[in-house]
Amino acid sequence: MIDYKKVRNKKFVYVVSFYDGRIDGCKYSVEKINVSYSGFIATVGTKYFATFEAADNLAKRLNTQSLNEGDQK
């Protein structure tokens, strides 16, 4: 994970996005963000990753947790 203060040192970062509904059975997915755009602002609380694999591991874990919680309701 990359500290939000150091995100500007990278050209691209990966974040896990949340959807209110489900897309292909999932609520979470990974997005690649180009941080060199002038409109990009790093925010506190967002988890930034240097690799797709690291972000994808978190997204998969969150999707599994979300699906398991849905089964219990």
Side-chain angles (χ1 to χ4, degrees):
M1 206 164 26
I2 304 169
D3 184 74
Y4 81 97
K5 294 176 185 174
K6 297 180 180 181
V7 168
R8 279 283 188 198
N9 297 336
K10 304 285 184 186
K11 182 170 181 170
F12 294 100
V13 294
Y14 298 88
V15 297
V16 176
S17 297
F18 170 78
Y19 298 101
D20 193 20
R22 291 194 188 276
I23 297 175
D24 295 332
C26 299
K27 284 190 169 196
Y28 301 91
S29 66
V30 177
E31 289 186 32
K32 181 178 181 180
I33 298 174
N34 184 340
V35 299
S36 63
Y37 289 127
S38 62
F40 175 80
I41 298 173
T43 56
V44 176
T46 302
K47 293 181 175 159
Y48 298 99
F49 297 92
T51 65
F52 173 83
E53 290 77 16
D56 193 44
N57 286 338
L58 176 60
K60 286 178 181 176
R61 190 169 17 132
L62 291 171
N63 281 321
T64 301
Q65 180 180 350
S66 173
L67 289 171
N68 290 339
E69 287 174 0
D71 291 341
Q72 295 173 359
K73 291 182 182 179

